[in-house]
Amino acid sequence: MHAAADPHVVETIAALEALYAKPAGASLAKETDHLTPPYRAMVEAAPFMLLATQGPNGVDCSPRGDRPGFVTVADAHTLLIPDRRGNNRIDSLRNILANPEVGLLFMIPGVNETLRIRGRAAITTDPALADAMRVDGKAPATIVRVAVERVFFQCSRALLRSGLWDQARHVERQALPSPGDMIAAATEGREGGRAYDQGLAERLAGSLY
């Protein structure tokens, strides 16, 4: 027998909109198709962002972080994101080749507003850009160039509710599984474990760039 359909599942835009009040004027007025000077200031102050992409295998969201201003504002319609060293899965880059539409979320420590950007991305190996983005003498392998289409700031409610910047609510790292523990669980003990965790901090410090 087939399970009965969930009668509470929302299936239409009309049904969804009926559950919410209409957005206030400022919620719509704050959206632009380019980086205004205040929005540019938010990008240039952010040491961390999330990059959302979609490809043949589904949706992905990955972190990007570096020193504040690591995302270059080339102009009011263009962002340049260096792809620093990582795990070499290049999931986001593979997705961009299949579907250039991306979403960015910029976060600034201590600031509860975030900045949301939608646009279309391309991957470039322009040597002049890569050379300008060197850190500790090392250039990024590629740069993601984003043509900005939509920008607006997200209000502070989510971060206020989460207490993200409240040190009193920070979780002790030792209270959660270690990277080695997570790999061991995912591989049924074939990899990871204590051997992986040993020297991890040193390995990370030596491979940031």
Side-chain angles (χ1 to χ4, degrees), residues 47-148:
F48 181 79
M49 60 159 281
L50 296 169
L51 171 63
T53 58
Q54 183 170 1
N57 295 319
V59 178
D60 184 68
C61 186
S62 67
R64 294 287 188 272
D66 208 334
R67 300 163 190 176
F70 76 99
V71 175
T72 299
V73 181
D75 56 54
H77 297 274
T78 312
L79 295 175
L80 302 171
I81 307 168
D83 193 62
R84 302 294 183 194
R85 290 182 67 178
N87 55 22
N88 293 321
R89 288 176 56 108
I90 56 175
D91 294 320
S92 298
L93 302 183
R94 294 179 196 275
N95 284 349
I96 287 170
L97 290 178
N99 180 349
E101 295 182 356
V102 297
L104 315 177
L105 179 70
F106 289 86
M107 303 179 71
I108 305 166
V111 176
N112 287 321
E113 290 78 22
T114 55
L115 189 71
R116 293 170 57 175
I117 297 178
R118 261 180 34 187
R120 296 178 68 83
I123 302 168
T124 179
T125 59
D126 185 325
L129 292 179
D131 190 58
M133 291 181 169
R134 287 183 181 274
V135 175
D136 292 348
K138 298 176 182 177
T142 60
I143 298 102
V144 176
R145 183 174 61 234
V146 177
V148 173

